Amino acid sequence: MRPIAIDDFCAVRSLANVTFSPEGTTACFTVSQAKKEKNCYDSRLYTLKDGVVRALTSGGKESSFCYLDENTVLFAGDREGEKEPSLQSRFYRIALDGGEAELAFTFPIPVSAVYPLPGGDLLAVGSTFPGFEELYKGDKKLIKAYLDDKKENEDYEVIEQLPWWWNGGTYTRGAYESLFYYDVKKKSLTRLTEKGFNVSDVQLAADKKTVYYSLLDVSVPRPAHFGGEDLYRMELAARKQEIVVKSRPDFVISTYALGASFLLLAAADGKYGMNTDCDFYQLDYATLAVTPYAAYGEAIGSSVGSDVCHGGGREMKMDGDVLYFISTRFDGAGLYQLEDGEISPVLVRDGSVDSFDRCNGKMLLCALWDMKPQELYNEEGRRVTRFNDAALRGKYVARPEAICFTRGDHEVHGFILKPMDFESGKKYPVIFDIHGGPKTVYGPVFYHEMQYWASRGYFVIFCNPTGSDGRGAFMDI
């Protein structure tokens, strides 16, 4: 056995955004890898069909994508080699049965996601910059004025709003996301949501005639991030916006999912502020009446910590009127289902399900299982990709051993990693790794930093103290 080296981090690949094609015959997903020499991540698209994994792109900057049809993927990228400063974003079209990617759409502003509509037009989520709200129209003078202003002030930032910095990003400069309609023939964007409101969680109804989305007022110095958005919908033909349901201090909306006959809301009573776990509510499409559907009070999504995850993906999805969702319970995150008000496990094992998709009875899960970095697994829990086998072949991977102790009436659960070439009776140095939080948890998953320490001869102890996630009702630190 060889020790895990610190640079092995750059050999590990992270998987994200697994998405089935409309009929489920193929799936597309993102594979990312750290590039030490460039201090960045290289991201590419791969497909899975009939058990065969194939690289779809090779540019190194592809992550955001969607299916245009069963055989065509639309993805964001930059293949034009533009050297001058620019706000433009470009989306390319590529056929899954072969051929080169071709430029499909160019937008004058940064666009993070697009949603194809019948007839070829698109919905687009794009950036709005305070003081330059009309950049989406593509006026060259206004774009130059924005870029000049940004360059002139690049040595300092005037902070007027929270959050003022995105983790893993840069200064927010008060920028927020807006929803736009893109007319393919006119090659023009039209703003659909009001200035001063950030749009998120955009979902098209099955008939693609109505779009649902969450809005948050960011015109105030401290927006209520981390839940608390109001849910809206818009009939695209009439461009008519309608409030669906508003958040309240005792009804803080976290997310939602569109079912066949009703909408499901995940909302919390706000007892512990933004850390309160959610219950499920049913919303009638016609009357907009909201009624309790299932009491839950557990964390939705995975909050299991690891340093080998890059990117995101779907954490909940309705199939008919059955909700499938990821939830963190105790020291791990699994896949559960909610049907007729009852919650039951679907795939739960030691580790973490980070994202998934489901189509026509088939499922793909991106998971940290069996002390391996992320791989894809099917609905039976069988591994269908092997991106990280070579990176760890012949390397010492310490298996976590559970520990448990009590202080007063509180039980603390955690894990120990033994050092490489451990000998009983011999003394070893110990690293006690304490996570932040709240709303996070350590679990029995591959964590490169900890494995590196174990390979260097250290015992590693990592526990979930008071305030850790996955314990039901939030425990204050």
Side-chain angles (χ1 to χ4, degrees), residues 246-281:
K246 279 184 170 289
S247 284
R248 309 184 305 267
D250 62 345
F251 188 79
V252 183
I253 299 170
S254 173
T255 187
Y256 69 98
L258 302 179
S261 59
F262 60 86
L263 182 150
L264 265 183
L265 289 163
D269 61 14
K271 182 178 180 180
Y272 303 106
M274 70 180 187
N275 299 303
T276 311
D277 291 321
C278 293
D279 297 317
F280 293 103
Y281 297 83

Side-chain angles (χ1 to χ4, degrees), residues 355-416:
S355 62
F356 78 100
D357 197 13
R358 177 182 173 89
C359 183
N360 293 332
K362 296 190 296 184
M363 288 195 294
L364 283 173
L365 299 84
C366 177
L368 290 164
W369 282 344
D370 303 321
M371 288 306 293
K372 293 180 173 61
Q374 289 175 317
E375 299 286 359
L376 292 185
Y377 299 79
N378 66 11
E379 64 275 6
E380 298 172 349
R382 182 174 60 85
R383 185 156 62 114
V384 295
T385 63
R386 298 184 177 276
F387 281 96
N388 289 299
D389 282 3
L392 298 180
R393 188 173 293 121
K395 301 293 180 69
Y396 172 70
V397 177
R399 311 295 294 189
E401 298 180 12
I403 57 173
C404 185
F405 54 92
T406 59
R407 182 180 179 89
D409 60 354
H410 178 62
E411 182 179 272
V412 173
H413 192 255
F415 304 91
I416 291 179

Side-chain angles (χ1 to χ4, degrees), residues 147-219:
L147 294 173
D148 288 346
D149 179 78
K150 183 179 179 181
K151 183 176 181 180
E152 182 179 348
N153 297 301
E154 64 184 358
D155 293 332
Y156 65 93
E157 294 287 341
V158 177
I159 297 170
E160 299 177 319
Q161 187 184 62
L162 294 175
W164 53 273
W165 177 277
W166 289 129
N167 190 23
T170 184
Y171 293 96
T172 65
R173 306 193 79 209
Y176 56 91
E177 300 279 78
S178 299
L179 184 63
F180 298 90
Y181 188 98
Y182 182 73
D183 187 306
V184 173
K185 291 182 179 179
K186 296 180 180 179
K187 296 183 179 181
S188 64
L189 291 168
T190 301
R191 181 189 295 278
L192 296 180
T193 52
E194 295 181 33
K195 300 174 184 177
F197 286 85
N198 182 75
V199 68
S200 62
D201 214 351
V202 176
Q203 299 183 37
L204 275 169
D207 61 7
K208 297 191 176 183
K209 295 180 180 180
T210 304
V211 60
Y212 289 75
Y213 48 91
S214 298
L215 285 182
L216 177 71
D217 184 356
V218 294
S219 64

